[in-house]
Amino acid sequence: MLLAALLVLPLAPVTACGIGDTSPGAAGPPAGGLPEADRRPASAVHLYFYSATGLERVSRSYAGPDRPQAAMDRLAQGPDAAERARGLISFLPDGPTPQVATGEGTGTGERGAVEVTVVSGEHTSRTAVRQIVCTAAAAVGSAQDRRPEDVEVRVRRLADGTLTTEVCAE
């Protein structure tokens, strides 16, 4: 009897796992592969906000013309609820949204061409300028297949008339 118990004991976990029999259930439609071109999600713009560890890039969906200005408009709106919950903040002052211009007359050079006009220039901290520069550089860089740090951004402050050339240094 002891021998019979020793032979049955190793089989007990296999036969008594506690899961009952079930019948097949509906699993939904089969996998369909990649979505069709017109059904693909919109592309993204990258914005820069601050966290406890420094400047952080976030992505927002985007569809439409003028990617650089669309990115700046979204930056001016500040972090959304989910981003704020992650501890992200913005240092942009309240006021008019910085305006982005690309192309001729914007300081073309080997690193790209973008100029951002900041209306509230005297109230815009160095921290806020970094957000603006990196957001503009990311938007222009993605359109030109360049990294943000490879795009020069000219920042024009209307309040004091200064014009500086900046590079995104994350």
Side-chain angles (χ1 to χ4, degrees):
M1 181 135 157
L2 181 60
L3 183 57
L6 289 175
L7 291 175
V8 173
L9 191 59
L11 297 177
V14 175
T15 59
C17 64
I19 299 174
D21 290 337
T22 59
S23 60
L34 295 174
E36 295 174 26
D38 60 342
R39 291 190 191 179
R40 290 188 181 172
S43 60
V45 290
H46 303 292
L47 316 176
Y48 287 80
F49 295 113
Y50 279 92
S51 71
T53 60
L55 198 60
E56 273 193 44
R57 183 177 89 166
V58 299
S59 298
R60 298 256 184 97
S61 63
Y62 157 82
D66 199 2
R67 178 186 302 261
Q69 189 60 52
M72 201 58 59
D73 293 344
R74 285 166 176 78
L75 179 69
Q77 293 169 357
D80 63 22
E83 293 159 349
R84 284 191 306 276
R86 289 182 15 222
L88 297 178
I89 60 172
S90 177
F91 285 92
L92 266 66
D94 291 335
T97 300
Q99 297 299 300
V100 182
T102 57
E104 293 296 320
T106 59
T108 58
E110 70 180 67
R111 295 186 112 178
V114 61
E115 183 172 301
V116 179
T117 301
V118 180
V119 177
S120 56
E122 64 190 39
H123 305 292
T124 306
S125 68
R126 181 75 194 127
T127 310
V129 169
R130 282 190 67 211
Q131 283 182 260
I132 292 168
V133 167
C134 288
T135 298
V140 170
S142 67
Q144 298 175 355
D145 199 25
R146 295 177 175 208
R147 299 175 309 165
E149 57 268 22
D150 293 335
V151 176
E152 288 182 350
V153 179
R154 293 173 47 140
V155 179
R156 180 178 305 280
R157 295 177 188 234
L158 287 185
D160 59 10
T162 61
L163 178 66
T164 59
T165 300
E166 310 273 343
V167 176
C168 178
E170 291 183 55

